[in-house]
Amino acid sequence: MTIPIGSGHGLTNVEGHADFDIVWPWNQPGGLRRGATAVLRVKNEAPGLRFVLPPLLRACDHVLLVDNGSDDGTGEEALRVAAEHGLSDRFTLEEYPFEVARAGAEHLAVNERSVHSLAYFYNWCFSHVRTRYSWKWDGDMVLTTEGEVSMADLSWQVGMAEAVIRFPRHGLYIESDRLAYLDLGLRNIEEWGFPMSPDYVYTKAPEWEIRTTPERIEMFALPQGLCVELKWLDGDEFAHWTNPESFATSIRNRRKRREWLVWNALHDGEVPEGVVRIESPDGVHVVDHVTHTWLPRAPRPFVVDDPDHAKLHLRA
């Protein structure tokens, strides 16, 4: 009989770093309180945090950011943004000092109980949650105006619920402060909201970590247009993967295959089908324009007529 990973007091790591052993949060004194916490695991995400954190801090009861060895001032920038918006009381910064295996072959070769394992890293991060619900959030995901309202409404409703929530997001490839490309050609909707209990913990999968779930669960999917994922065209978007070229052969990497295609096409000066070019007005950053104006006003469902001119129409 297999013993569930979430049972017992917690987990120890094979390296013997006792300071980084895991105590499951439901075993902490006082238990878990009602509410929802967004957990971000980040490395060198400083440029986008001024867009990512404000709506997330307003929408959630708490935001936990775990910095994994950034050298661009990510932690300091996160603290600055939270303070600037008067939301420091909703924010916690933690540091995880160990190098974590990249997704793919590197991850596969690491012991699941190693401090270098993606699964162990994620479990350590979520062990710091003190609410009954959690959002797995990335350091490059920005809520739109509608997304912030939707998450705020959900955060108080799911505080006692046994439900998994799927949150859609759209890749936003940023060329400059005023120019970006929004990928509406990929319908990407993943599981991002989970209860905090022994039934929902991270374990090792072939190419990345995966969160366990009971056989029978309530699952809800939110509509499109609530979140964008920032992809800076002058950055290294795929640094956390062992070999990005493997996207072409893996059946599990449909989303990454699409991102790899769009990324390379834009670098070659081409705009792929399903991608729309968006230019913001003078004085408005394109991320703010897309999340506060362009996406909230775009008709649903998204259907691209002319990628070069970003024309959309309603599907009959």
Coordinates of all heavy atoms in Angstrom, one line a residue, residues 216-252:
R216 N -12.1 12.3 -7.0 CA -13.3 13.1 -7.3 C -13.2 14.5 -6.7 O -13.0 14.6 -5.4 CB -14.6 12.4 -6.7 CG -14.9 11.1 -7.3 CD -16.2 10.5 -6.8 NE -16.5 9.2 -7.4 CZ -17.6 8.5 -7.2 NH1 -18.4 8.9 -6.2 NH2 -17.8 7.4 -7.8
I217 N -13.2 15.5 -7.5 CA -13.1 16.8 -7.0 C -14.0 17.7 -7.8 O -14.5 17.4 -8.9 CB -11.6 17.4 -7.2 CG1 -11.2 17.3 -8.7 CG2 -10.7 16.7 -6.3 CD1 -9.9 18.0 -9.0
E218 N -14.4 18.9 -7.2 CA -15.1 19.9 -8.0 C -14.1 20.7 -8.7 O -13.0 21.2 -8.1 CB -15.9 20.8 -7.0 CG -17.0 20.1 -6.3 CD -18.2 19.9 -7.2 OE1 -18.3 20.6 -8.2 OE2 -19.1 19.1 -6.8
M219 N -14.3 21.0 -10.0 CA -13.4 21.8 -10.8 C -14.1 22.9 -11.5 O -15.2 22.6 -12.2 CB -12.6 20.9 -11.8 CG -11.5 21.7 -12.5 SD -10.5 20.6 -13.6 CE -9.6 19.7 -12.3
F220 N -13.6 24.1 -11.5 CA -14.2 25.2 -12.2 C -13.2 25.9 -13.1 O -12.0 26.0 -12.8 CB -14.8 26.2 -11.2 CG -15.8 25.7 -10.2 CD1 -15.3 25.2 -9.0 CD2 -17.1 25.5 -10.5 CE1 -16.2 24.7 -8.0 CE2 -18.0 25.0 -9.6 CZ -17.6 24.6 -8.4
A221 N -13.7 26.3 -14.3 CA -12.8 27.0 -15.2 C -13.3 28.4 -15.4 O -14.5 28.7 -15.6 CB -12.8 26.3 -16.6
L222 N -12.4 29.4 -15.3 CA -12.7 30.8 -15.5 C -12.6 31.1 -17.0 O -12.0 30.5 -17.8 CB -11.7 31.6 -14.7 CG -11.8 31.4 -13.2 CD1 -10.8 32.3 -12.5 CD2 -13.2 31.7 -12.6
P223 N -13.3 32.2 -17.4 CA -13.3 32.6 -18.8 C -12.0 33.2 -19.3 O -11.1 33.6 -18.5 CB -14.4 33.6 -18.9 CG -14.5 34.2 -17.5 CD -14.2 33.0 -16.6
Q224 N -11.8 33.3 -20.6 CA -10.6 33.8 -21.2 C -10.5 35.3 -20.9 O -11.5 36.0 -20.5 CB -10.6 33.6 -22.7 CG -10.7 32.2 -23.1 CD -9.4 31.4 -22.9 OE1 -8.3 31.9 -23.2 NE2 -9.5 30.3 -22.3
G225 N -9.3 35.9 -21.0 CA -9.1 37.3 -20.9 C -8.8 37.8 -19.5 O -8.9 39.1 -19.3
L226 N -8.6 37.0 -18.5 CA -8.4 37.4 -17.1 C -6.9 37.6 -16.7 O -6.6 38.2 -15.7 CB -9.1 36.4 -16.2 CG -10.6 36.2 -16.4 CD1 -11.1 35.3 -15.3 CD2 -11.3 37.5 -16.5
C227 N -6.0 37.1 -17.5 CA -4.6 37.1 -17.1 C -3.7 37.0 -18.3 O -4.0 36.3 -19.3 CB -4.3 35.9 -16.2 SG -2.6 35.7 -15.6
V228 N -2.6 37.7 -18.3 CA -1.5 37.6 -19.3 C -0.2 37.1 -18.7 O 0.0 37.4 -17.5 CB -1.3 38.9 -20.1 CG1 -2.6 39.4 -20.8 CG2 -0.8 40.0 -19.2
E229 N 0.6 36.5 -19.5 CA 1.9 36.0 -19.0 C 3.0 36.8 -19.8 O 3.1 36.7 -21.0 CB 2.0 34.5 -19.3 CG 3.3 33.9 -18.7 CD 3.3 32.4 -18.9 OE1 2.6 31.9 -19.8 OE2 4.1 31.7 -18.2
L230 N 3.7 37.5 -19.0 CA 4.7 38.4 -19.6 C 5.9 37.6 -20.2 O 6.5 36.8 -19.5 CB 5.3 39.4 -18.6 CG 4.2 40.3 -17.9 CD1 4.9 41.3 -17.0 CD2 3.3 41.0 -18.9
K231 N 6.3 37.9 -21.4 CA 7.5 37.3 -22.0 C 8.3 38.4 -22.7 O 7.9 38.9 -23.7 CB 7.0 36.2 -23.0 CG 6.2 35.2 -22.4 CD 5.7 34.1 -23.4 CE 4.8 33.1 -22.7 NZ 5.5 32.3 -21.6
W232 N 9.4 38.7 -22.1 CA 10.2 39.8 -22.5 C 11.1 39.3 -23.7 O 11.9 38.4 -23.5 CB 11.1 40.3 -21.4 CG 10.3 40.7 -20.2 CD1 10.0 39.9 -19.1 CD2 9.7 42.0 -19.9 NE1 9.3 40.5 -18.2 CE2 9.0 41.8 -18.6 CE3 9.6 43.2 -20.6 CZ2 8.3 42.9 -18.0 CZ3 8.9 44.2 -20.0 CH2 8.3 44.1 -18.7
L233 N 10.9 39.9 -24.9 CA 11.6 39.4 -26.0 C 13.1 39.7 -26.0 O 13.9 39.1 -26.8 CB 11.0 40.1 -27.3 CG 9.7 39.6 -27.7 CD1 9.1 40.4 -28.8 CD2 9.7 38.1 -28.1
D234 N 13.6 40.5 -25.1 CA 15.1 40.7 -24.9 C 15.6 39.8 -23.8 O 16.8 40.0 -23.3 CB 15.4 42.2 -24.7 CG 14.8 42.7 -23.4 OD1 13.9 42.0 -22.8 OD2 15.1 43.9 -23.1
G235 N 14.8 38.9 -23.2 CA 15.2 38.1 -22.1 C 15.5 36.6 -22.5 O 15.5 36.3 -23.7
D236 N 15.6 35.8 -21.5 CA 15.9 34.3 -21.8 C 14.7 33.6 -21.3 O 14.7 33.1 -20.1 CB 17.1 33.9 -21.1 CG 17.5 32.4 -21.5 OD1 16.8 31.8 -22.3 OD2 18.6 32.0 -21.1
E237 N 13.6 33.5 -22.1 CA 12.3 33.0 -21.7 C 12.4 31.5 -21.2 O 11.6 31.1 -20.4 CB 11.3 33.1 -22.8 CG 10.0 32.5 -22.6 CD 9.2 33.1 -21.4 OE1 9.5 34.3 -21.0 OE2 8.3 32.4 -20.9
F238 N 13.3 30.7 -21.8 CA 13.3 29.3 -21.6 C 14.5 28.8 -20.7 O 14.9 27.7 -20.8 CB 13.3 28.6 -22.9 CG 12.1 29.0 -23.8 CD1 12.3 29.9 -24.8 CD2 10.9 28.5 -23.6 CE1 11.2 30.3 -25.6 CE2 9.8 28.9 -24.3 CZ 10.0 29.8 -25.4
A239 N 15.0 29.7 -19.9 CA 16.2 29.4 -19.1 C 15.9 28.3 -18.1 O 16.8 27.6 -17.6 CB 16.7 30.6 -18.4
H240 N 14.7 28.1 -17.7 CA 14.3 27.1 -16.7 C 14.0 25.7 -17.3 O 13.6 24.8 -16.6 CB 13.1 27.6 -15.9 CG 11.9 27.8 -16.7 ND1 11.8 28.9 -17.6 CD2 10.7 27.2 -16.7 CE1 10.6 28.8 -18.2 NE2 9.9 27.8 -17.7
W241 N 14.3 25.6 -18.6 CA 14.2 24.3 -19.2 C 15.6 23.7 -19.6 O 16.4 24.5 -20.0 CB 13.3 24.4 -20.5 CG 11.9 24.3 -20.2 CD1 11.1 25.4 -19.8 CD2 11.0 23.2 -20.1 NE1 9.8 24.9 -19.6 CE2 9.7 23.6 -19.8 CE3 11.3 21.8 -20.3 CZ2 8.7 22.7 -19.6 CZ3 10.2 20.9 -20.2 CH2 8.9 21.4 -19.8
T242 N 15.7 22.4 -19.4 CA 17.0 21.8 -19.8 C 17.3 21.9 -21.2 O 18.4 22.3 -21.6 CB 17.0 20.3 -19.4 OG1 16.6 20.2 -18.0 CG2 18.4 19.7 -19.6
N243 N 16.3 21.6 -22.1 CA 16.5 21.6 -23.5 C 15.3 22.0 -24.2 O 14.4 21.2 -24.5 CB 17.0 20.3 -24.0 CG 17.2 20.2 -25.5 OD1 17.4 21.3 -26.2 ND2 17.1 19.0 -26.1
P244 N 15.1 23.3 -24.5 CA 13.9 23.8 -25.2 C 13.6 23.1 -26.5 O 12.4 23.0 -26.9 CB 14.1 25.3 -25.4 CG 15.2 25.7 -24.3 CD 16.0 24.4 -24.2
E245 N 14.6 22.6 -27.2 CA 14.3 22.0 -28.5 C 13.5 20.7 -28.3 O 12.9 20.2 -29.2 CB 15.7 21.7 -29.2 CG 16.4 23.0 -29.6 CD 17.7 22.7 -30.3 OE1 18.1 21.5 -30.4 OE2 18.3 23.6 -30.7
S246 N 13.5 20.2 -27.0 CA 12.7 18.9 -26.8 C 11.2 19.2 -26.9 O 10.4 18.3 -27.0 CB 13.0 18.4 -25.4 OG 12.5 19.3 -24.4
F247 N 10.8 20.5 -26.9 CA 9.3 20.8 -27.0 C 8.8 20.2 -28.3 O 7.6 19.8 -28.4 CB 9.1 22.3 -27.1 CG 9.6 23.0 -25.9 CD1 9.9 24.4 -26.0 CD2 9.8 22.4 -24.7 CE1 10.4 25.1 -24.9 CE2 10.2 23.1 -23.5 CZ 10.5 24.4 -23.7
A248 N 9.6 20.1 -29.3 CA 9.1 19.6 -30.6 C 8.7 18.1 -30.6 O 7.9 17.6 -31.4 CB 10.1 19.8 -31.7
T249 N 9.2 17.3 -29.7 CA 9.0 15.9 -29.6 C 8.2 15.4 -28.5 O 7.8 14.2 -28.5 CB 10.4 15.2 -29.6 OG1 11.1 15.6 -28.5 CG2 11.2 15.5 -30.9
S250 N 8.0 16.2 -27.5 CA 7.2 15.8 -26.3 C 5.7 16.0 -26.5 O 5.3 17.1 -26.8 CB 7.7 16.5 -25.0 OG 6.9 16.2 -23.9
I251 N 4.9 15.0 -26.2 CA 3.5 15.1 -26.3 C 2.9 15.9 -25.2 O 1.8 16.4 -25.2 CB 2.8 13.7 -26.4 CG1 3.1 12.9 -25.1 CG2 3.2 12.9 -27.6 CD1 2.3 11.6 -25.0
R252 N 3.7 16.1 -24.1 CA 3.2 16.8 -22.9 C 3.5 18.3 -23.0 O 3.2 19.1 -22.1 CB 3.9 16.2 -21.7 CG 3.5 14.8 -21.3 CD 4.2 14.3 -20.1 NE 5.6 14.2 -20.3 CZ 6.1 13.0 -20.8 NH1 5.4 12.0 -21.1 NH2 7.5 12.9 -21.0

